[in-house]
Amino acid sequence: MVERLLEENNHNQEENSTEYALTPEEEQKLISLAETIIKNWEVTVNSVEVIQGGQMAIVWKIHTIEGPICLKRIHRPEKKALFSINAQNYLALKGMRVPGIIPNKNGILYTKHGPFLFVVYEWIEGRPFELTVQEDLEFIMKGLAEFHTASIGYRPPEGVPIFTKLGRWPNHYIKRCQQMETWKLLAKSLPDDPFSKLYLAEADFFIKEGRDTLKRLLESEYLDWVGTVKGMPNLCHQDYGTGNSLLGDDGQIWVIDLDTVSFDLPIRDLRKMIIPLLDTTGVWNDDQFNVMINAYESVSPLTEKQKEIMFIDMLFPYELYDVIRERYVRKSPLMENELAEAFEYERIKSGALNQLIK
């Protein structure tokens, strides 16, 4: 609910620089920066356009005599950036539909300027997917499956650390349950706040649900699957959705913005894609759920045991956790009814997923 809206807002900002309301002076500074950086590449520049500004990650459209290219300032720490840059280059060279990286004059995939890495990509023309349209929904899920399959075999170059979440889900569950307990103390300090009153009245049930989910995960074949995948891991995008995928003018699915990739079970991306999308209507949409799973499996089938692990992970109250964090950590002025909706969605979701696990 809130997570989905925030993600959509961030993606819209990335796609539309006017969201940042840059002043003319700020825009000119970014253009000047791009003009300085792009000199490290063998291109003839006609003009520079700021596509995304105002955040750590900055994107420019560089118009050259040979057509547009994309210049991006990576917002991740250098070691994580190198893992993702090399992963994207691996996928592009393998034929996966991700924007190819254009090396600089020295044949290097990036240029370092100050503390940041700058990368130049092919410019991809296309449109975002409309997830209320079944055909688009199927397309985007097939694209995710293709991404997972194509990424198997990637190994970062020597000296570049491996970023992986394989085997770490139990720790993530424990940490989130502990945080939800801690937020109860914060809620108690706000006795006149309706949001906090409701949280205190309902929180224990969902914290227990989170701990029960941990127990079920450890009793499943999760650790066995992790052990198998470690030998030949696939990448997870970690932020896959309408903001980071395109239906290209060539009719092909393109996956973009790979800055957050890491090794993990592929179902992590499915959970992060499916659960927020279903959290929009107040009911569990079996048809939409099945369309997404079936489209993914048409490219990359999952075993029954693997799907059981996915359903267990989906049980964890991630959406509720994000709503509470939004209020108590990010200090967003969320109202009591928004928390009530999150509680209700978790109940609906739990009922549907428990039926699937049975």
Side-chain angles (χ1 to χ4, degrees), residues 76 80 83 161-173 175-176 217 222-223 225-227 229-230 233-239 259-269 271-272 309 313 318 325:
R76 306 284 285 175
K80 288 187 177 181
F83 181 85
I162 291 175
F163 287 90
T164 179
K165 298 183 184 296
L166 284 166
R168 297 181 182 175
W169 294 8
N171 289 337
H172 294 164
Y173 288 7
K175 181 179 178 181
R176 283 165 172 76
L217 183 75
Y222 167 72
L223 293 176
W225 191 10
V226 166
V229 170
K230 280 183 177 179
N234 62 269
L235 290 167
C236 276
H237 189 286
Q238 306 292 346
D239 192 24
D259 295 357
T260 57
V261 295
S262 67
F263 291 136
D264 204 348
L265 300 182
I267 56 174
R268 179 180 177 87
D269 275 341
R271 187 264 297 169
K272 296 180 78 170
I309 295 166
D313 183 43
Y318 290 107
R325 180 182 60 178

Side-chain angles (χ1 to χ4, degrees), residues 68-126:
I69 54 177
C70 175
L71 171 66
K72 182 175 182 179
R73 187 178 79 175
I74 307 296
H75 70 289
R76 306 284 285 175
E78 183 171 335
K79 290 181 178 180
K80 288 187 177 181
L82 289 174
F83 181 85
S84 63
I85 289 167
N86 283 282
Q88 182 156 346
N89 189 57
Y90 170 85
L91 287 164
L93 293 177
K94 195 174 180 180
M96 175 62 196
R97 290 180 295 278
V98 299
I101 297 178
I102 302 171
N104 64 20
K105 291 177 180 178
N106 297 319
I108 301 173
L109 297 176
Y110 61 91
T111 292
K112 187 172 182 179
H113 183 82
F116 297 103
L117 301 187
F118 292 77
V119 182
V120 172
Y121 307 95
E122 299 171 340
W123 187 267
I124 306 300
E125 296 288 354

